[in-house]
């Protein structure tokens, strides 16, 4: 699955889902993962929104899904919680089948194997519900094995229901990323993935490590294991879009096209979250589609959106990516 063209990833799942369920997602300890149990139709329809607006890739709604979270907030037992995660992946498959049927009926051709269904594997901090996915503070006191053991249950549940790859995402600290990549190489040698870090500014991960150092460490780790082909990309997500170009230049700025590390990016809209007032500043946001050429030039192979990005934003990103892909074919 070496990526020759730039692919369009979906947008903010919880954001787009508000179209179907109203504004009851933010602030819930399970976030959008509650609706996997309570409103599966909304999950399917949210996936469909992104597919109908040009996404090559949809992520399963498993970012905040964990056995602990489901046991505590939905009063399920362990096996029921695991089955709910498996079923959440199946909802993405249902959406894909519906979309492919629509395309077939409209005589619209889709590239073989697409759209891709990729499992969202959010950070250890997400289930703590204390904001630590945006600080990585747990890296200072939680052992790597505790983190990988926690991830393993969800990863296996997703793999059992069938996914094309894993999105190791919103990872705030280098330690968690390295531990997960080592585990995937050792225990799941056939599984493809990407690693996307959460960054607090134009050079640093949320936990403070330098993005370029962390990304290079992952790439070197894969090289040592002869496993770079397992990794679709390394990059960032859930960051302010204005930070992305600097982050990518710090990693790929001095590499020529052949040497570039393949990158993935799906930032937030650029709005800022205020605990009291909610999201603010949409009117000042630069459309994400405007950034596509500079990010692709720096090696981005997968571009989409995260918080506060809707299906319409993905449509615009997709148009910009198609223009870029055409340009590169001519060049």
């Amino acid at each position: 699955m070496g990526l020759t063209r730039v692919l369009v990833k979906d947008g903010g799942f919880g954001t787009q889902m508000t179209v179907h369920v109203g504004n009851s997602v933010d602030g819930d300890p399970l976030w959008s993962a509650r609706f996997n149990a309570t409103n599966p139709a909304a999950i399917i329809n949210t996936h469909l929104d992104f597919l109908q607006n040009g996404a090559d890739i949809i992520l399963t709604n498993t970012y905040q899904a964990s056995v602990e979270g489901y046991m505590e907030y939905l009063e399920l037992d362990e096996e029921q919680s695991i089955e709910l995660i498996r079923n959440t992946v199946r909802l993405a498959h249902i959406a894909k089948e519906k979309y492919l049927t629509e395309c077939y009926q409209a005589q619209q051709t889709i590239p073989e194997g697409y759209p891709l269904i990729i499992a969202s594997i959010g950070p250890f901090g997400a289930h703590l519900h204390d904001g630590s996915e945006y600080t990585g503070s747990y890296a200072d006191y939680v052992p790597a094995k505790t983190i990988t053991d926690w991830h393993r249950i969800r990863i296996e549940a997703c793999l059992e229901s069938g996914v094309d790859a894993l999105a190791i995402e919103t990872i705030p600290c280098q330690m968690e990323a390295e531990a997960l990549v080592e585990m995937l190489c050792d225990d799941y040698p056939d599984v493809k993935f990407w690693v996307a870090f959460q960054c607090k500014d134009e050079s640093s991960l949320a936990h403070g490590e330098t993005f370029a150092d962390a990304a290079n460490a992952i790439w070197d780790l894969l090289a040592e294991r002869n496993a770079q082909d397992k990794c679709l990309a390394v990059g960032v997500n859930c960051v302010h879009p204005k930070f992305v170009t600097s982050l990518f230049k710090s990693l790929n700025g001095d590499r020529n096209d052949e040497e570039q590390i393949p990158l993935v990016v799906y930032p937030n809209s650029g709005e800022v979250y205020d605990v009291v007032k909610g999201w603010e500043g949409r009117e000042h946001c630069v459309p994400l589609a405007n950034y596509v050429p500079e990010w692709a030039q720096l090696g981005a192979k997968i571009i989409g959106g995260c918080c506060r990005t809707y299906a319409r934003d993905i449509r615009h990103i997709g148009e910009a990516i198609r223009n870029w892909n055409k340009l590169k074919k001519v060049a």
Side-chain angles (χ1 to χ4, degrees), residues 232-311:
L232 300 178
V234 179
V236 297
N237 76 296
C238 205
V239 297
H240 196 293
K242 70 181 181 187
F243 297 150
V244 174
T245 299
S246 299
L247 288 162
F248 282 1
K249 277 186 175 164
S250 72
L251 181 63
N252 270 348
D254 295 330
R255 290 180 162 102
N256 62 37
D257 286 1
E258 283 72 46
E259 294 170 342
Q260 282 184 345
I261 294 174
L263 300 176
V264 56
V265 53
Y266 41 116
N268 299 333
S269 64
E271 291 163 78
V272 178
Y273 189 70
D274 180 282
V275 177
V276 179
K277 299 175 187 164
W279 291 96
E280 296 186 303
R282 185 153 190 100
E283 65 280 7
H284 304 303
C285 293
V286 176
L288 293 184
N290 293 18
Y291 292 102
V292 164
E294 63 191 76
W295 293 345
Q297 187 71 45
L298 285 164
K301 297 295 182 196
I302 300 158
I303 304 175
C306 205
C307 298
R308 302 297 291 165
T309 61
Y310 290 87

Side-chain angles (χ1 to χ4, degrees), residues 119-278:
S120 169
I121 307 297
F124 182 81
H127 89 288
L128 301 176
H129 195 51
D130 60 0
S132 59
E133 70 263 48
Y134 298 110
T135 65
S137 57
Y138 54 88
D140 301 330
Y141 61 88
V142 179
K145 185 176 184 315
T146 303
I147 292 176
T148 52
D149 285 349
W150 177 83
H151 277 291
R152 190 185 296 273
I153 296 170
R154 178 178 44 174
I155 286 172
E156 292 193 350
C158 290
L159 292 175
E160 282 160 13
S161 289
V163 291
D164 295 295
L166 307 175
I168 309 295
E169 59 178 357
T170 328
I171 302 296
C173 46
Q174 185 170 335
M175 177 271 270
E176 183 171 12
E178 289 184 354
L180 274 167
V181 168
E182 287 179 359
M183 178 183 91
L184 289 170
C185 287
D186 292 347
D187 300 344
Y188 306 91
D190 300 328
V191 175
K192 305 237 182 213
F193 58 87
W194 75 58
V195 178
F197 288 101
Q198 153 62 215
C199 296
K200 62 182 176 181
D201 55 32
E202 62 279 342
S203 62
S204 310
L205 306 192
H207 186 246
E209 302 90 336
T210 304
F211 166 72
D213 290 347
N216 276 316
I218 294 298
W219 204 238
D220 292 345
L221 201 90
L222 289 160
E224 284 163 22
R225 285 170 153 75
N226 202 19
Q228 284 179 341
D229 61 333
K230 282 168 55 80
C231 184
L232 300 178
V234 179
V236 297
N237 76 296
C238 205
V239 297
H240 196 293
K242 70 181 181 187
F243 297 150
V244 174
T245 299
S246 299
L247 288 162
F248 282 1
K249 277 186 175 164
S250 72
L251 181 63
N252 270 348
D254 295 330
R255 290 180 162 102
N256 62 37
D257 286 1
E258 283 72 46
E259 294 170 342
Q260 282 184 345
I261 294 174
L263 300 176
V264 56
V265 53
Y266 41 116
N268 299 333
S269 64
E271 291 163 78
V272 178
Y273 189 70
D274 180 282
V275 177
V276 179
K277 299 175 187 164

Side-chain angles (χ1 to χ4, degrees), residues 32 61 131 193 280 326:
S32 62
N61 188 38
F193 58 87
E280 296 186 303
K326 273 184 207 152

